[in-house]
Structure formats: structure tokens, C-alpha cells
Amino acid sequence: MVFDNKFGMFIHWGIYAQTGIQEQVYARFDWDRERYEALRETFNPVNYDPEKWVLLAKEAGMKYICFTAKHHDGFCMWNTKYTDYNVMNTPYGKDVLRMLADACERHGMLLGLYYSNPDWNHPLGYNPNSTHQWKAVDKETVDTVGYREYVKNQITELLTNYGKIYTLFWDIPPRIDDPSLNELARRLQPGILINDRGWDKGDFSTPEREYRAAEGERFTRMTEACNSLGRQSWGYRENEDFYSYRHLVSSIDRIMAMGGSYLLNVGPDGLGEITEEYASRLRRIGSWYNRMEGCLESAEGDSFDYSVRHDPCIVNRKNGKIYFHLYNSASSSAVDIKYFPHKPTRVRLLNTGEELAFSFERLPEFFNGKTGRAEQEYLHITGIPIDELSVEAVVIEIEIE
Ligand code: GLC
């Protein structure tokens, strides 16, 4: 199965960005309501220029953006008529989602929306079936039906007023089955892809952070993995503990080679800027991603047992070419493939774009334990400048006759 998978930018941005702590600072550090909600009185992101965000995503090879329209705090980043707790009622006073949607449209960037089911501001936001309810306004009143009306109204605004919407990212499963919400979304945006954290199973799965399960196996369902550039937070964090370049590139290569999309998150600061700390990391990852020449997108799986030696490897195919993804880099300058049932005509290292030498050879390292002789011919690919590439997923393209 070929999935139309893509590399995308997750953006967590809300009034919490001003604190430089975390998107759930309200709960994690148990702020009182007054203190938290006062953040809207100072929200004035004068440096907000969504054009810059979109161009940065584009530069990194990303094809879509997923933006937090509403996070658990309940604060709405668009001009909604269903609550005053929204961006129009801040010193900034502009519909930041509208500005982002326009910038995406101008640059052919797809736009997805994140919407949190937990809502720490709406009077009916409490849902005893679900998690992340810490700051719910009223834990006595349970009216998830009433709350669902609010959600439907807001989803209608979001999916009507902001042009074409590519994905809907519900967050935190409500553990209430109500297909009418996704039906509404599909009616308003035919073709929209909906995740599995909402009111029914949706279209795609959402492994988060350190996804390890079924490593190397191809996804059987449409999947979008997500992770943030930093460990502690999705929203802007001063002194964030950033993941290494190696760690993220390896994870992106692995997930995408398995057929998944990858949503990599940044947290713009309280003034609206993706600071250099975040942006430079993204650019570096993008420089690797762009060298992969699109081989991670819409490829098909290859289940043949090639028995690649030494390094974990995922194999896929696109346009008749075969790609070997050594997602944890390679441990030596050669790659040895035990079974290769085709005739290679050209082998290229995508990291550098250069051709690599190859031959079918008996190698002294691989001998028959009984005879002591090297009997099997391996496809032996050599000349990988491995000391320069030890921090990158190494990808080898093989053209065959
Ligand atoms: C978790 C967190 C939330 C974040 C989300 C991203 O659900 O609670 O803060 O937005 O992951 O997938």
C-alpha cells in the first residue's frame, strides 16, 4: 500500500508562549485561573509574520503545517463568535489563523488544524471519561452533549472560513463515540484527513514522541507520527532540551520509510517568532531531508528479505528504484546485502548525491562455519564517507535493470 505521506510542521502557539515554560504551564505548575487567563491581556506578538513560518517550513521540505487552533487551555487563536476567550480580545487583536491561512495559500502550503477536546475555559469543558481535565472549570457539571454543540460550532467556523483544510488533528480522545463530528468535518471539507484522537477512529494513527513499536515494519494504516524539536515542551520554552540532529533525522527517516507522515513541532515565542534556536535546527534537518530527493514520500514497501548486514535498515521503492534506509547511519564505509535478486545498474548515496562503487563479491568476513570458506556472494557497496555522515540517516538508491 502506498500512503500519500508527507513531512510537515507542527506549530504549538498560544498565549502560553509568553511564559517560555510549556504549553500546559497552567496545569503543570498549577497556576491559578486568574494568573493564567491574564496572559491574554499581554498577548501582543508584534513580530508575528506567518510568511516567515511558511517559508521556513518550505525550506525544510515540509508540505504542510498543522496549527493549534485551540489547545487544552481553551484559548482560541481565531476569530470565533462562540467565546470571548480568543485572540481578537488581546492587545494584538488580529485573527492570527486567518493570517497563517493566507500565507499558506500564497505559498501552496497545506494547512491542518489541531483542536483540543479538553477545554479548561469552557463551562461545559469537563469530561470525566477523558484525561487532561485538570483545570476544567466545573468538575461537578457533566454535559458532554452541550459541550459537543460548542465543538461543532467551532469546527464549523474553522472548516468554513479558512479555505481548504488538509487535516484535522483532534487532541486527547474524549472516549465518547460520536461519528457526527467527523461527518460534519467531512461534509464541510470533503477529502479532509482526520486523526484518531477524536470522536471515532478517524483516518490515521498518531504515534507521539519516541515511537518504537513494530520497528522496521511498514505501517498498515495511514499514520502521522509527531515529535517536537525539544523534549520538555511543544510550546515555546526558554532553555529547551533539544533533541540531537542525529536523533530526529533517524526518527524521521525511519517513520517515513515505513510509510508514515512526520509532523515535526516548533514553538514560536510570545512575540510570534520562531527563534533561531528552533529555526536553525529545522534548517539543518531540512538540508538532510531535501537531499533525500522525495524518496520518503509516497514510496511503496519492499518486503523482500535482503538481509542487510550490520545496520538496521528499512527498504522501500519508488519509481522503480530501491532505497536502503540505514536510519541509524552506517557503522562502516560499506553496506553488504546478502540477497539481491536484481542486476544493479547504478548505486547512489543520496546524502552526497554521489555514485558508489558496487560489485557482487565473496567477502572474507562472511564465511561458512563448517568449511571456513567465504562462499556467498554479497552485493558489496563501498566508499561511503562514513565519518562525515555518522550523524545522519544514510540512504542508498539502487537502480536496477
Ligand atoms: C500531548 C500533549 C499536548 C500536545 C500533544 C501533541 O497530547 O498533552 O500538549 O499538544 O501531545 O501531540
Side-chain angles (χ1 to χ4, degrees), residues 10-12 16 22-24 28 68 70-72 114 116 118 120 131-132 134 169-173 195 197 206-209 224-228 233-235 263 265:
F10 210 169
I11 302 179
H12 274 68
Y16 48 77
Q22 213 241 14
E23 79 285 354
Q24 296 182 61
R28 297 290 155 82
T68 49
K70 185 191 88 170
H71 205 264
H72 312 337
Y114 166 110
S116 167
W120 300 338
T131 63
H132 295 68
W134 307 292
F169 192 119
W170 295 111
D171 199 17
I172 312 296
N195 80 353
R197 298 188 190 177
T206 53
E208 185 172 304
R209 292 283 190 191
E224 178 193 66
C226 59
N227 201 354
S228 196
S233 179
W234 297 83
L263 206 44
N265 178 74

